[in-house]
Amino acid sequence: MSASAKAYKGMGMEGGIARWYDRTTRKSMEDFRVLATRIAAMVPAGARVLEVAPGPGFLSIELAKRGFDVCAVDISRTFVELAQKNAEDAGVKATFLRGNASQLLIESNSVDFVMCRAAFKNFTEPVKAMREILRVLRPGGMAMLIDMRRDVSMQDIKQFVQGMGLNWWNRVFTNLTFKHMLIKRAYSLDEIRTMASEAGWKELQTETSPTGFEVIVRKQRCDVG
């Protein structure tokens, strides 16, 4: 990957493209609700939850609706503003901060659950981000990482996009974005495992889907630094 491409990965979405993403991902609200319900079954009631790179904040908002103490960090100023407004419109309390995944301004051993969905491939320092996630987790706390795989087929991507309920133009634009940008940034599951090992993540639980992967790790007491 070129130096310019690496720099672009770290910029985050801003302005009009962030607002387009906000409008587009609203079509997937049921997916956010389903995932939030899954997380709620894994995490103690009232737990402190951190979402890394929440975008417009829809998952964080669904988690806040379920009674969790939610904080989220995104590098995009536009996304932080959108997420705050979306939370206010939803009538829930959640904290959205601007920051970098590789240098979280969160206390060590202070979070029960960390979520990162559909954003890890955009991080400029992925191993550092994984170390930060492990650092902020309390002993016994869990982290979940969900993203697409580099070996995903365009046929599977097209089926995924078709189910998003987008109009013709947005389907075309989204397919092109996957083909020419997102797939190239994505990692294989083996690469994820290697980076996780470098970051100190142990005993991973991994699952794959037609378009991506899911990794869950629990922080052990011996991981406390």
Side-chain angles (χ1 to χ4, degrees), residues 4 12 15 24 30 32 36 41 59 65 88 122 135 158 163 186 190 192 199 213 216:
S4 60
T24 301
E30 181 61 22
F32 293 117
L59 178 58
K65 288 179 180 178
E88 291 172 4
N122 299 319
R135 177 185 66 80
K158 288 178 180 179
D190 283 343
I192 292 293
F213 65 84
I216 296 177

Side-chain angles (χ1 to χ4, degrees), residues 25-104:
T25 52
R26 288 178 185 274
K27 306 285 187 177
S28 302
M29 290 304 296
E30 181 61 22
D31 293 338
F32 293 117
R33 286 190 282 267
V34 168
L35 181 55
T37 299
R38 276 190 61 205
I39 293 170
M42 300 165 59
V43 185
R48 189 179 188 206
V49 174
L50 170 67
E51 185 176 8
V52 179
F58 298 128
L59 178 58
S60 286
I61 290 167
E62 289 300 318
L63 291 168
K65 288 179 180 178
R66 287 157 177 77
F68 294 108
D69 177 9
V70 179
C71 178
V73 177
D74 203 291
I75 198 169
S76 164
R77 186 184 304 277
T78 306
F79 272 151
V80 171
E81 293 172 355
L82 287 169
Q84 288 172 336
K85 183 178 184 305
N86 289 336
E88 291 172 4
D89 290 346
V92 299
K93 182 179 179 182
T95 302
F96 295 95
L97 305 172
R98 188 166 183 240
N100 196 312
S102 61
Q103 194 173 5
L104 295 170

Side-chain angles (χ1 to χ4, degrees), residues 5 15 22 45 56 72 99 106 116 120 128 149 162 168 192 194 197 221:
D22 175 280
I106 305 292
C116 181
F120 185 79
K128 282 188 176 181
R149 303 191 317 274
Q162 185 68 31
W168 178 85
I192 292 293
T194 297
S197 178
R221 293 196 177 276

Side-chain angles (χ1 to χ4, degrees), residues 11 45 220:
M11 292 170 61
Q220 307 299 320

Side-chain angles (χ1 to χ4, degrees), residues 10-205:
M11 292 170 61
M13 296 183 189
E14 295 288 1
I17 190 67
R19 287 186 282 274
W20 170 84
Y21 188 83
D22 175 280
R23 294 191 300 271
T24 301
T25 52
R26 288 178 185 274
K27 306 285 187 177
S28 302
M29 290 304 296
E30 181 61 22
D31 293 338
F32 293 117
R33 286 190 282 267
V34 168
L35 181 55
T37 299
R38 276 190 61 205
I39 293 170
M42 300 165 59
V43 185
R48 189 179 188 206
V49 174
L50 170 67
E51 185 176 8
V52 179
F58 298 128
L59 178 58
S60 286
I61 290 167
E62 289 300 318
L63 291 168
K65 288 179 180 178
R66 287 157 177 77
F68 294 108
D69 177 9
V70 179
C71 178
V73 177
D74 203 291
I75 198 169
S76 164
R77 186 184 304 277
T78 306
F79 272 151
V80 171
E81 293 172 355
L82 287 169
Q84 288 172 336
K85 183 178 184 305
N86 289 336
E88 291 172 4
D89 290 346
V92 299
K93 182 179 179 182
T95 302
F96 295 95
L97 305 172
R98 188 166 183 240
N100 196 312
S102 61
Q103 194 173 5
L104 295 170
L105 299 179
I106 305 292
E107 292 183 7
S108 299
N109 308 312
S110 65
V111 176
D112 298 293
F113 188 87
V114 180
M115 181 72 221
C116 181
R117 176 189 178 275
F120 185 79
K121 60 184 169 294
N122 299 319
F123 295 167
T124 55
E125 298 176 299
V127 175
K128 282 188 176 181
M130 284 181 159
R131 287 179 183 145
E132 281 291 273
I133 289 171
L134 188 65
R135 177 185 66 80
V136 302
L137 277 175
R138 292 188 176 111
M142 290 187 295
M144 177 184 288
L145 174 63
I146 299 176
D147 215 322
M148 68 184 300
R149 303 191 317 274
R150 189 191 300 136
D151 61 351
V152 64
S153 71
M154 275 309 300
Q155 180 179 355
D156 286 331
I157 289 295
K158 288 178 180 179
Q159 290 178 351
F160 172 76
V161 173
Q162 185 68 31
M164 293 176 67
L166 305 176
N167 61 31
W168 178 85
W169 165 245
N170 278 323
R171 286 200 306 272
V172 170
F173 182 78
T174 302
N175 277 316
L176 289 173
T177 301
F178 272 108
K179 182 177 181 179
H180 296 292
M181 185 182 298
L182 299 181
I183 292 177
K184 294 178 180 179
R185 297 180 183 179
Y187 300 103
S188 69
L189 189 53
D190 283 343
E191 287 174 320
I192 292 293
R193 290 190 180 106
T194 297
M195 288 188 287
S197 178
E198 292 176 15
W201 288 27
K202 302 171 184 175
E203 299 181 11
L204 305 184
Q205 300 176 38

